[in-house]
Amino acid sequence: MKELEVAIKSLEEHKAENIVSIDVSKVNPFVSTLVLATCLNTRALGAMAELLDDAFEKNKIEVRVKEGNPISGWMIVEAGDVIVHLLLESNRKELNLEELMDRLNFKNK
């Protein structure tokens, strides 16, 4: 899937941490994969959302949703079949989305 490849490549190139992708295709008719990534601080979080937006645009993939504010510690970028959750470390620990997905029997890719 091109969207997932673009997202992962951009996140890795720009030093996002703890990148995880989770297949949700069997239960979500709108997206097939959630990607979680940690950003070091609010400035990096905002920049990462912009860089992802640019990477998708460069690859002719429409960004349908870009929500959140770096100050909140959580931003979402949705493009094609992928939703990327960008989080600060503290927000990621508090939300613990990986554990929730694991309890619902979703598997990391």
Side-chain angles (χ1 to χ4, degrees):
M1 170 191 347
K2 185 176 182 179
E3 296 95 339
L4 181 58
E5 292 173 17
V6 169
I8 298 294
K9 182 178 179 187
S10 181
L11 292 168
E12 288 175 345
E13 284 179 357
H14 296 99
K15 308 298 186 219
E17 296 182 348
N18 197 13
I19 303 165
V20 175
S21 61
I22 302 168
D23 182 354
V24 294
S25 60
K26 292 183 175 134
V27 296
N28 191 324
F30 304 109
V31 297
S32 61
T33 308
L34 298 180
V35 176
L36 308 174
T38 302
C39 298
L40 296 176
N41 54 52
T42 56
R43 183 181 228 174
L45 183 65
M48 190 67 69
E50 291 301 319
L51 291 165
L52 268 175
D53 195 356
D54 293 345
F56 285 130
E57 185 178 304
K58 181 179 174 183
N59 284 277
K60 298 179 178 27
I61 300 167
E62 178 187 2
V63 173
R64 293 192 304 239
V65 176
K66 187 166 98 179
E67 289 189 17
N69 184 317
I71 294 170
S72 73
W74 185 7
M75 294 186 73
I76 295 171
V77 179
E78 179 182 344
D81 283 347
V82 173
I83 296 178
V84 180
H85 294 262
L86 302 169
L87 301 118
L88 295 178
E89 182 71 31
S90 58
N91 293 62
R92 189 160 176 178
K93 285 179 182 178
E94 181 180 338
L95 293 168
N96 206 358
L97 295 173
E98 288 99 332
E99 183 179 321
L100 173 63
M101 294 292 120
D102 194 40
R103 280 190 275 153
L104 295 172
N105 290 318
F106 292 104
K107 302 298 178 206
N108 295 349
K109 287 185 176 179

